Amino acid sequence: MEAYESKISIKAWAEEDRPREKLNSQGRRALSDAELIAILIGSGSRTESAVELSKRILHHYDNDLQKLGKVSVAELSKFKGIGEAKAISIIAALELGRRRTDTDVKVPETVAGSKSVYQVMKRHLVDLNHEEFWILLLSRSCKIISKELISKGGLSGTVADPKIIFHVALQHQASSIILTHNHPSGNLKPSQQDIDLTRKIHQAGKILDICVLDHLIITDGGYFSFADEGLI
């Protein structure tokens, strides 16, 4: 019981130390990451304030918001004091922050090289802890017709079926396509499986008169282009 009584709730803190009041009086930049997360959490428990809980969560992820931004609702909910609703609030706020960063760069409507493909697709493929395979469908003038998710996988890979890829391309009457997938590990080097799959899809595209222009591997830190490296 003494342990419970020794904890001081946020309401008992000096007003300038309370996260909400501090933000209101000193501005959002005066708050630490833990204090901002504490506002999202709203309340702690009898044994731990919202700020203390936030510090514990951040410490678990090495005080790295990039790592925290990749966690799932289920993973966050494992922390004592974090239910599904609080976990969703944290993840939603971090996703809004990521999207705000994305809006700093205007997304192109046409493809003019690997850099423009990266600008279009990075918002879909960064900050993921699993692999996803997407295709970009293009018109004859290289205008983007659509972006389509083909498959999701685990940490080490995903299955991209050429039959599904070209079925989608034919449905949209695409003249050409660009393959993209992410490496959650951060390794930009293509695996032999990546190389073999790219060659297989490229050859199939020739038969169907649908040109496979490129294949990008995207990580949080950049991208690898098969076309730029002469591999397609």
Side-chain angles (χ1 to χ4, degrees), residues 26-39:
Q26 300 180 39
R28 58 185 181 272
R29 296 180 187 268
L31 275 67
S32 66
D33 292 344
E35 289 171 325
L36 289 170
I37 293 173
I39 291 175

Side-chain angles (χ1 to χ4, degrees), residues 214-227:
D214 202 351
H215 184 175
L216 263 66
I217 297 172
I218 294 176
T219 70
D220 293 353
Y223 69 93
F224 176 95
S225 164
F226 278 67

Side-chain angles (χ1 to χ4, degrees), residues 19-229:
R20 289 189 181 86
E21 285 81 353
K22 188 174 180 180
L23 187 149
N24 192 38
S25 63
Q26 300 180 39
R28 58 185 181 272
R29 296 180 187 268
L31 275 67
S32 66
D33 292 344
E35 289 171 325
L36 289 170
I37 293 173
I39 291 175
L40 296 171
I41 291 173
S43 62
S45 65
R46 291 183 64 190
T47 60
E48 193 174 42
S49 71
V51 174
E52 290 169 329
L53 174 55
S54 300
K55 287 179 178 178
R56 181 159 60 88
I57 293 170
L58 283 169
H59 177 72
H60 181 80
Y61 295 107
D62 302 320
N63 294 302
D64 188 337
L65 291 177
Q66 295 294 336
K67 290 183 180 179
L68 182 58
K70 296 179 182 181
V71 303
S72 65
V73 172
E75 187 176 345
L76 262 184
S77 298
K78 291 179 181 178
F79 288 91
K80 184 180 179 181
I82 297 292
E84 183 180 69
K86 290 181 179 180
I88 289 172
S89 294
I90 295 170
I91 290 172
L94 290 168
E95 176 63 16
L96 276 174
R98 187 186 68 79
R99 293 187 186 187
R100 181 188 176 194
T101 301
D102 285 342
T103 58
D104 290 341
V105 179
K106 185 178 179 181
V107 178
E109 295 181 356
T110 59
V111 167
S114 60
K115 185 177 180 180
S116 56
V117 176
Y118 175 67
Q119 289 173 342
V120 171
M121 295 306 302
K122 69 175 183 177
R123 65 182 58 199
H124 300 288
L125 290 168
V126 300
D127 286 345
L128 296 177
N129 54 16
H130 63 275
E131 280 200 12
E132 292 190 0
F133 197 103
W134 290 66
I135 59 173
L136 203 56
L137 305 171
L138 307 174
S139 68
R140 290 193 180 278
S141 60
C142 286
K143 185 174 182 178
I144 298 170
I145 299 172
S146 180
K147 298 167 285 185
E148 300 292 329
L149 173 64
I150 299 300
S151 64
K152 291 183 180 182
L155 289 170
S156 58
T158 184
V159 177
D161 189 336
K163 294 189 294 294
I164 296 175
I165 289 171
F166 287 108
H167 175 69
V168 173
L170 289 168
Q171 279 186 319
H172 287 81
Q173 299 182 332
S175 295
S176 58
I177 62 173
I178 293 175
L179 316 174
T180 65
H181 80 280
N182 66 309
H183 279 180
S185 66
N187 181 11
L188 282 171
K189 184 178 179 179
S191 66
Q192 189 59 49
Q193 183 180 4
D194 293 333
I195 295 171
D196 292 342
L197 177 66
T198 304
R199 288 174 178 167
K200 183 178 180 180
I201 296 174
H202 187 259
Q203 289 301 317
K206 288 181 178 179
I207 297 171
L208 294 170
D209 196 26
I210 298 175
C211 184
V212 180
L213 298 176
D214 202 351
H215 184 175
L216 263 66
I217 297 172
I218 294 176
T219 70
D220 293 353
Y223 69 93
F224 176 95
S225 164
F226 278 67
D228 290 351
E229 298 300 325

